[in-house]
Amino acid sequence: MSLTVSKLGLAAAQFGLDGMSASPRARSPETEARDILGIAARAHLSVLDVSGNYGRAESVLGDLIPRPVPFRVTLSAARADRGPDFVEAEARASLRRLGLERADAIIVSSPSELFGPHGAAVWDRLARLRDEGLFAKIGVAAHASDDPVGVARRFKPDILQAPASLLDQRLLADGSLARIAGLGIEVQLRSIFLNGLLFLPPDRVPAQLKGASGRLSKVRRMIAEGRSDPLQAALGFALSRVEASAVLVGVTSAAELSAVVAAASSPPPDLDWDDMAIDDPVALDPRRWVA
């Protein structure tokens, strides 16, 4: 498998294991997740990010993950406002549910968690768990609006997860991710499909994003004229970023992951990446979308 595919990481939050429901004729989330993990292992994907899965979902994942575990497993820290003791207890419980003695990393879901009243104590506790060998690394997930360079300089995480995509190039264009990587911090890209915006047909773009529809149509046209498709273009862009050590993708089915691996295995398309960025503030922030 190519080096670009091994740079891929798998985000398990979309596996649908929390509800564990399926129609009688559909494949169960458990069956789908088992096949997804099998494909990921055979393709030598590097990271399995299980953040967003808790309790029952973690136990199911623990039953399904191939052994010996072929991935660097990343967990998400519990909410900092519950205090360091709670965060540590939940971290240890997550490891037990996943059947792991230790994991590669634990990630705080937002810098705002660290600026709250328990933030400093929680960060110190996570560092202690790292020093004890429970985790090899501790990190933070940040949005572009969180001043990720400032966060990196203040907290000195081992990992910083940040959004970047063919459409959202802000942290790449302004050099933020390059500066973070230059500090010796591992950069992991997420939201590389921007909630699937690039894949939506024009008539299904949310009303709040109509202001960006013309730009989106132009990007799709450029991709088609370059004899590529949105999936290959999105992956080619993200995997070619030298700032990033890993690129996290979320899928809901084994078929989707197979398509991702196939697209990532192909030579990246020859496209003008810089001309594909959009600057619509609503389109770039899925938290502001309304279904």
Side-chain angles (χ1 to χ4, degrees):
M1 192 58 64
S2 69
L3 291 175
T4 54
V5 173
S6 67
K7 193 174 178 177
L8 280 175
L10 183 62
Q14 296 182 26
F15 284 10
L17 295 173
D18 286 318
M20 289 298 293
S21 61
S23 65
R25 296 184 181 180
R27 286 160 56 85
S28 72
E30 185 175 15
T31 299
E32 204 70 65
R34 179 183 290 109
D35 288 350
I36 291 170
L37 291 168
I39 293 168
R42 290 191 296 274
H44 303 292
L45 270 62
S46 57
V47 175
L48 176 64
D49 186 316
V50 302
S51 58
N53 290 282
Y54 302 97
R56 168 67 174 149
E58 286 180 337
S59 297
V60 173
L61 276 173
D63 292 337
L64 300 179
I65 293 174
R67 308 286 170 164
V69 179
F71 315 108
R72 292 187 288 131
V73 178
T74 297
L75 310 183
S76 59
R79 285 174 41 181
D81 62 3
R82 301 291 296 272
D85 290 344
F86 179 81
V87 169
E88 177 176 350
E90 284 299 295
R92 293 181 181 276
S94 290
L95 289 172
R96 286 195 299 271
R97 289 190 289 261
L98 290 163
L100 302 173
E101 291 185 2
R102 59 188 60 85
D104 183 68
I106 186 166
I107 305 292
V108 176
S109 62
S110 168
S112 63
E113 299 266 331
L114 299 178
F115 290 108
H118 298 291
V122 164
W123 190 246
D124 288 345
R125 183 67 60 87
L126 292 177
R128 192 180 82 186
L129 296 179
R130 176 190 59 194
D131 295 342
E132 291 176 1
L134 224 59
F135 302 97
K137 304 165 189 171
I138 58 176
V140 183
H143 291 282
S145 57
D146 290 326
D147 181 20
V149 173
V151 170
R153 287 174 174 158
R154 175 164 179 174
F155 294 102
K156 299 178 176 58
D158 302 303
I159 295 173
L160 191 136
Q161 294 183 348
S165 66
L166 184 63
L167 299 176
D168 181 4
Q169 301 184 30
R170 291 172 292 176
L171 296 178
L172 294 161
D174 68 7
S176 291
L177 297 187
R179 289 195 293 275
I180 292 167
L183 296 172
I185 295 169
E186 180 181 342
V187 173
Q188 297 182 352
L189 300 187
R190 55 184 175 80
S191 300
I192 71 158
F193 299 136
L194 194 58
N195 275 30
L197 183 58
L198 193 60
F199 309 134
L200 286 179
D203 61 346
R204 292 187 57 194
V205 173
Q208 288 75 12
L209 308 186
K210 292 302 182 184
S213 59
R215 184 67 182 160
L216 289 170
S217 295
K218 179 183 177 182
V219 172
R220 292 191 189 96
R221 185 170 63 252
M222 293 172 65
I223 291 171
E225 290 172 351
R227 297 185 178 183
S228 186
D229 61 68
L231 179 61
Q232 188 180 17
L235 285 164
F237 174 82
L239 291 168
S240 66
R241 299 303 95 190
V242 297
E243 301 91 339
S245 64
V247 173
L248 304 179
V249 296
V251 299
T252 60
S253 69
E256 287 181 3
L257 182 56
S258 293
V260 165
V261 170
S265 302
S266 304
D270 184 15
L271 298 170
D272 185 352
W273 302 127
D274 293 346
D275 202 29
M276 294 186 177
I278 62 175
D279 58 9
D280 185 286
V282 177
L284 293 177
D285 187 355
R287 295 172 298 179
R288 298 172 63 179
W289 301 4
V290 177

